[in-house]
Amino acid sequence: MNYLKRCRNIRVGNFRFLNLAIVFYIFVSCSNENKLEKEIAEISVDFDIERFDQLFAQLTPESLPELKNNFPFLFSEKYEDSIWFKRSQDTIQQEVNKEVEKVFSDLSEEKRELHSLFQHIQYYFPQIKVPRVVTITNDVDYRNKVVLSKGLLVISLDTYLGKDHHFYESIQKYLRQNFNRQYIVSDVASAYAKNQVGPIRERTFLGNLISFGKELYIKDLLLPSLSNARKIGYTEEQYEWAEINEEQIWRYFIEKQLLYSTDSELMPRFMYPAPFSKFYLEEIDKEAPDRIGQYIGWRIVASYMENNNVSLQQLLIADAETIFNKSKYKPKR
């Protein structure tokens, strides 16, 4: 009896020690993160958001030459000036201008979020210069909500008016889920992350998992205060479903031997925007959010970085199999 009591005391003591160790680890980690964020917050970043959308809405024949001179990249030379003026007076364009102004009369919150984003980009990728930021309207071209090219960042405000806006009635519901202004900074971060990761070079399902996982891991670094749901473009409920079912998702991928498959049908099933991820299991497909493969890739890459002493640049050049084999990834139970 005394022996059992003694063993129980040892176990309790060990448990208390483990708890203290965990608390100490969390405290140190949080302290390091706070120190890093304070350092990043000191980085000087200077930019303005240029409202081309407003200037074009106020276009006159007299102001057009100056507008073309200041924004030559937004005017094709094959169109005469009369075409541009005629477009500015079009009733549909004027309605777009009116609706954009309703939602985006003030962009101070977007500027604050972009300022923080650019500070983090400067810290992790110091070779990247702060871009010129221009807002436009672009016929609700949701495939090009954000365009990043040669130091220029163009944001189409008419694609962020709210998922239930009447402009989007003909667009599928799963696509317009993220047509809210809260996703602007996330979409901008995605554009930078894609540029750093580059095109997907490996045809396997695993190669795609890891490539998208790298992008989302970079977004983790660039947007530390943003919710994980907003980073991946899920609702909070969709992200919670992915977390709860992570083990089952991973088991399905393994049991179906998908990791090294080059079946092109796997990409629209698990990687690309869709109404849902297609497991071909009725009880799951009704609830599974789209792009669930991206979520799994994100978890694998995060596990790789947690369990290996490698730099961000080493991550970017590492191949998918190396990352997977060294990740020690275990899905949440």
Side-chain angles (χ1 to χ4, degrees), residues 56-57 59 82-98 137 139 167:
F56 192 75
L59 188 68
S82 60
I83 300 297
W84 296 113
F85 185 70
K86 184 177 180 181
R87 176 176 177 178
S88 73
Q89 301 302 305
D90 180 82
T91 54
I92 294 177
Q93 179 62 47
Q94 289 183 341
E95 185 182 1
V96 170
N97 296 341
K98 180 181 176 181
T137 61
D139 301 322
F167 283 173

Side-chain angles (χ1 to χ4, degrees), residues 287-301:
E287 300 179 353
D290 63 339
R291 298 171 289 117
I292 202 68
Q294 293 190 25
Y295 170 81
I296 295 297
W298 186 8
R299 303 314 313 142
I300 294 173
V301 171

Side-chain angles (χ1 to χ4, degrees), residues 10-175:
I10 291 173
R11 284 197 296 271
V12 170
N14 287 341
F15 183 71
R16 287 173 180 165
F17 176 78
L18 181 60
N19 275 346
L20 286 172
I22 292 172
V23 170
F24 179 74
Y25 174 78
I26 293 173
F27 175 78
V28 171
S29 297
C30 290
S31 297
N32 289 338
E33 287 177 9
N34 290 337
K35 183 178 179 181
L36 174 61
E37 287 304 310
K38 287 180 180 179
E39 181 180 347
I40 292 174
E42 295 297 319
I43 296 175
S44 178
V45 165
D46 185 32
F47 73 99
D48 288 314
I49 298 179
E50 301 178 60
R51 296 296 301 267
F52 177 85
D53 58 294
Q54 291 179 336
L55 296 172
F56 192 75
Q58 300 161 5
L59 188 68
T60 65
E62 293 73 27
S63 65
L64 181 56
E66 182 179 1
L67 199 63
K68 289 175 66 178
N69 183 61
N70 292 336
F71 301 90
F73 46 87
L74 294 176
F75 292 92
S76 173
E77 294 182 358
K78 68 180 181 179
Y79 296 119
E80 297 180 358
D81 288 358
S82 60
I83 300 297
W84 296 113
F85 185 70
K86 184 177 180 181
R87 176 176 177 178
S88 73
Q89 301 302 305
D90 180 82
T91 54
I92 294 177
Q93 179 62 47
Q94 289 183 341
E95 185 182 1
V96 170
N97 296 341
K98 180 181 176 181
E99 294 300 306
V100 167
E101 190 61 24
K102 279 183 186 177
V103 177
F104 294 106
S105 60
D106 177 66
L107 286 175
S108 56
E109 178 62 19
E110 282 73 21
K111 184 171 183 180
R112 184 192 66 78
E113 290 188 331
L114 288 172
H115 185 273
S116 177
L117 171 63
F118 293 152
Q119 287 178 315
H120 284 79
I121 290 171
Q122 289 280 286
Y123 180 83
Y124 290 105
F125 305 102
Q127 75 279 9
I128 298 178
K129 295 181 179 180
V130 177
R132 181 181 180 184
V133 183
V134 179
T135 59
I136 66 169
T137 61
N138 193 28
D139 301 322
V140 192
D141 182 6
Y142 60 84
R143 292 181 178 84
N144 293 289
K145 296 167 73 179
V146 166
V147 175
L148 178 64
S149 177
K150 299 178 181 178
L152 179 67
L153 173 62
V154 179
I155 302 170
S156 297
L157 294 182
D158 55 339
T159 59
Y160 293 101
L161 298 176
K163 63 184 177 66
D164 297 320
H165 195 278
H166 65 270
F167 283 173
Y168 311 144
E169 288 176 355
S170 63
I171 300 174
Q172 291 167 294
K173 190 174 181 179
Y174 73 89
L175 290 173

Side-chain angles (χ1 to χ4, degrees), residues 132-330:
R132 181 181 180 184
V133 183
V134 179
T135 59
I136 66 169
T137 61
N138 193 28
D139 301 322
V140 192
D141 182 6
Y142 60 84
R143 292 181 178 84
N144 293 289
K145 296 167 73 179
V146 166
V147 175
L148 178 64
S149 177
K150 299 178 181 178
L152 179 67
L153 173 62
V154 179
I155 302 170
S156 297
L157 294 182
D158 55 339
T159 59
Y160 293 101
L161 298 176
K163 63 184 177 66
D164 297 320
H165 195 278
H166 65 270
F167 283 173
Y168 311 144
E169 288 176 355
S170 63
I171 300 174
Q172 291 167 294
K173 190 174 181 179
Y174 73 89
L175 290 173
R176 49 189 167 98
Q177 175 177 293
N178 298 335
F179 288 13
N180 294 312
R181 67 187 302 171
Q182 65 174 335
Y183 288 102
I184 289 177
V185 71
S186 179
D187 289 345
V188 173
S190 289
Y192 278 99
K194 287 181 184 296
N195 279 355
Q196 293 305 307
V197 174
I200 300 173
R201 297 181 177 85
E202 301 177 55
R203 294 178 58 239
T204 64
F205 186 56
L206 177 64
N208 281 264
L209 285 176
I210 299 302
S211 185
F212 281 110
K214 287 180 179 181
E215 291 178 15
L216 286 161
Y217 180 80
I218 291 174
K219 290 181 72 173
D220 265 338
L221 301 179
L222 301 183
L223 301 170
S225 62
L226 205 69
S227 72
N228 285 339
R230 281 177 66 187
K231 287 172 193 169
I232 195 171
Y234 282 171
T235 64
E236 293 297 335
E237 292 75 17
Q238 287 175 322
Y239 188 82
E240 183 180 4
W241 188 96
E243 281 192 307
I244 291 172
N245 292 280
E246 183 176 339
E247 183 183 14
Q248 287 72 24
I249 297 164
W250 182 245
R251 185 185 302 140
Y252 179 90
F253 288 171
I254 296 301
E255 289 178 354
K256 298 297 182 180
Q257 299 181 344
L258 301 185
L259 292 189
Y260 296 98
S261 172
T262 57
D263 182 358
S264 60
E265 289 298 314
L266 293 174
M267 304 312 130
R269 284 177 61 190
F270 298 113
M271 294 295 186
Y272 301 155
F276 48 82
S277 292
K278 297 181 180 67
F279 292 89
Y280 301 135
L281 299 171
E282 185 177 352
E283 68 277 12
I284 295 179
D285 284 355
K286 290 180 180 179
E287 300 179 353
D290 63 339
R291 298 171 289 117
I292 202 68
Q294 293 190 25
Y295 170 81
I296 295 297
W298 186 8
R299 303 314 313 142
I300 294 173
V301 171
S303 182
Y304 171 75
M305 295 303 286
E306 289 168 7
N307 291 307
N308 295 273
N309 184 23
V310 295
S311 68
L312 181 56
Q313 291 304 317
Q314 288 173 313
L315 167 67
L316 292 175
I317 62 175
D319 63 88
E321 191 162 4
T322 296
I323 290 172
F324 174 59
N325 289 336
K326 293 186 176 182
S327 69
K328 301 177 184 177
Y329 168 67
K330 290 183 180 179

